[in-house]
């Protein structure tokens, strides 16, 4: 069976489109993407979703079922219609057959909950009907009448801008976002210990730990581990096991492999 693979934001795929938010929405939105599988396509698309902190809004543009498999528990869920997809603590493989056309908004950690008043950990590993938050039929109809991806992005941004005007981003969330930024691929290295980050931001580790738990429901160390692993896996897939993994926070390659098995129950080569 096809085990799927991870697609990164800077990779070009024929049935996968991606766009970044306008400056006014960068605090809330990571990016927009679309999966469009032509009805004539012979083979389904298998995508691996790594353990992560993000929440997704999925807007169905064509009525077609797709599957999501929790690779730790073996649980299979059927995706159909517009959904709210929670952050993942386990590796999930999504299987998109011919005819699937979905538009997604990937929110930055904690921000979808901020917009709709729920805690991130309340929806981990879940697929929930979007009607618990909004009326998806109206949004589906609007997006279905728009002919191209970049115009759908503009339409969704217009709707989001109206909602974020009523949302206050407090200093705790700003601190959390600043720390997550320091866990990113351009800055993740052995020098980015949490004690140093706390010193740079003028916050104690107990306070930082409390901010993360209140905002995301997870500790800073766990969040750092998830983002470090994602960065390292991309480097492994590009450069192999000889890449100097200490540059992204690991003591050596075996340390990276250990995290892969702990987080996904797979070796890096199987992802």
């Amino acid at each position: 069976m096809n085990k799927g693979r991870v697609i990164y934001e800077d990779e070009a795929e024929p049935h996968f489109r991606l766009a970044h938010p306008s400056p006014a929405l960068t605090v809330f939105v990571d990016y927009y993407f679309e999966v469009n599988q032509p009805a004539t396509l012979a083979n389904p698309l298998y995508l691996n979703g790594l353990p992560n902190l993000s929440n997704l809004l999925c807007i169905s543009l064509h009525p077609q079922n797709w599957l999501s498999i929790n690779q730790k528990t073996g649980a299979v869920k059927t995706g159909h219609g517009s959904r709210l997809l929670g952050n993942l603590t386990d590796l999930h493989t999504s299987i998109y057959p011919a005819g699937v056309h979905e538009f997604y908004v990937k929110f930055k950690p904690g921000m979808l909950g901020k917009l709709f008043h729920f805690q991130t950990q309340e929806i981990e590993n879940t697929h929930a009907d979007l009607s618990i938050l909004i009326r998806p039929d109206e949004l589906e109809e609007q997006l279905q009448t728009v002919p191209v991806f970049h115009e759908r992005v503009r339409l969704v941004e217009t709707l989001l801008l109206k909602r974020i005007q009523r949302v206050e981003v407090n200093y705790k969330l700003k601190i959390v976002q600043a720390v997550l930024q320091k866990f990113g691929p351009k800055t993740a290295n052995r020098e980015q210990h949490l004690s140093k980050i706390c010193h740079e931001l003028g916050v104690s580790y107990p306070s930082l730990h409390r901010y993360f738990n209140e905002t995301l429901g997870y500790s800073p160390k766990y969040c750092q581990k998830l983002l470090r692993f994602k960065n390292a896996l991309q480097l492994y897939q590009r450069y192999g096991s000889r890449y100097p993994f200490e540059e992204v926070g690991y003591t050596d390659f075996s340390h990276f492999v250990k995290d892969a098995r702990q987080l996904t129950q797979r070796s890096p080569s199987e992802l």
Side-chain angles (χ1 to χ4, degrees):
M1 178 180 176
N2 192 323
K3 293 183 178 181
R5 65 189 185 90
V6 178
I7 292 181
Y8 286 87
E9 292 85 344
D10 58 355
E11 296 179 352
E13 290 291 323
H15 310 303
F16 185 87
R17 298 287 183 271
L18 185 144
H20 293 283
S22 61
L25 283 164
T26 53
V27 171
F28 289 85
V29 175
D30 203 350
Y31 54 80
Y32 311 94
F33 69 98
E34 196 167 277
V35 176
N36 186 2
Q37 293 284 80
T40 57
L41 198 69
N43 298 315
L45 177 66
Y46 289 74
L47 294 182
N48 283 334
L50 299 174
N52 62 64
L53 302 168
S54 301
N55 300 151
L56 304 176
L57 284 185
C58 169
I59 308 301
S60 177
L61 302 178
H62 185 268
Q64 172 66 54
N65 291 354
W66 49 275
L67 297 178
S68 177
I69 304 172
N70 185 318
Q71 296 292 356
K72 181 177 181 179
T73 66
V76 180
K77 294 181 180 178
T78 300
H80 180 76
S82 297
R83 317 293 292 171
L84 165 63
L85 281 61
N87 53 296
L88 303 180
T89 59
D90 305 322
L91 176 71
H92 283 64
T93 300
S94 295
I95 306 173
Y96 297 99
V100 166
H101 192 182
E102 312 278 7
F103 181 95
Y104 292 84
V105 184
K106 180 183 177 184
F107 286 87
K108 290 191 173 179
M111 299 313 298
L112 185 58
K114 192 75 174 174
L115 285 172
F116 291 100
H117 311 294
F118 62 83
Q119 296 297 316
T120 300
Q121 63 270 30
E122 294 176 16
I123 60 168
E124 64 182 20
N125 299 319
T126 63
H127 285 203
D129 192 308
L130 199 55
S131 61
I132 65 174
L133 300 180
I134 59 175
R135 293 187 59 184
D137 52 339
E138 295 181 357
L139 185 54
E140 289 170 2
E141 185 177 349
Q142 290 182 68
L143 290 180
Q144 287 165 0
T145 59
V146 178
V148 292
F149 173 60
H150 72 270
E151 291 183 9
R152 287 189 281 273
V153 170
R154 283 204 296 266
L155 174 59
V156 169
E157 288 217 321
T158 299
L159 298 173
L160 288 175
L161 284 168
K162 294 178 181 178
R163 180 170 286 272
I164 68 168
Q165 291 174 2
R166 303 190 297 269
V167 177
E168 178 186 359
V169 179
N170 60 31
Y171 74 95
K172 294 180 182 179
L173 188 51
K174 290 179 180 178
I175 289 289
V176 168
Q177 286 203 346
V179 174
L180 292 176
Q181 184 67 31
K182 289 181 176 294
F183 294 163
K186 294 182 180 180
T187 55
N189 55 57
R190 296 188 71 183
E191 299 304 316
Q192 289 300 116
H193 295 300
L194 282 167
S195 58
K196 182 178 179 181
I197 292 174
C198 287
H199 179 73
E200 290 176 354
L201 296 176
V203 61
S204 68
Y205 182 75
S207 294
L208 184 66
H209 192 280
R210 186 173 68 255
Y211 297 168
F212 266 75
N213 274 316
E214 290 177 4
T215 304
L216 304 180
Y218 307 104
S219 71
K221 290 183 179 179
Y222 175 74
C223 297
Q224 184 180 41
K225 182 176 183 177
L226 291 185
L227 295 174
R228 178 180 63 189
F229 174 69
K230 177 188 175 183
N231 299 335
L233 180 63
Q234 184 176 23
L235 293 168
Y236 168 77
Q237 292 177 342
R238 290 181 178 178
Y239 305 112
S241 60
R242 293 186 178 181
Y243 184 85
F245 285 89
E246 63 274 7
E247 291 187 5
V248 287
Y250 289 99
T251 54
D252 52 30
F253 178 67
S254 63
H255 183 194
F256 164 61
V257 173
K258 180 180 178 181
D259 262 13
R261 294 196 179 278
Q262 186 178 71
L263 291 170
T264 71
Q265 289 73 55
R266 291 185 180 180
S267 67
S269 61
E270 296 175 309
L271 296 168

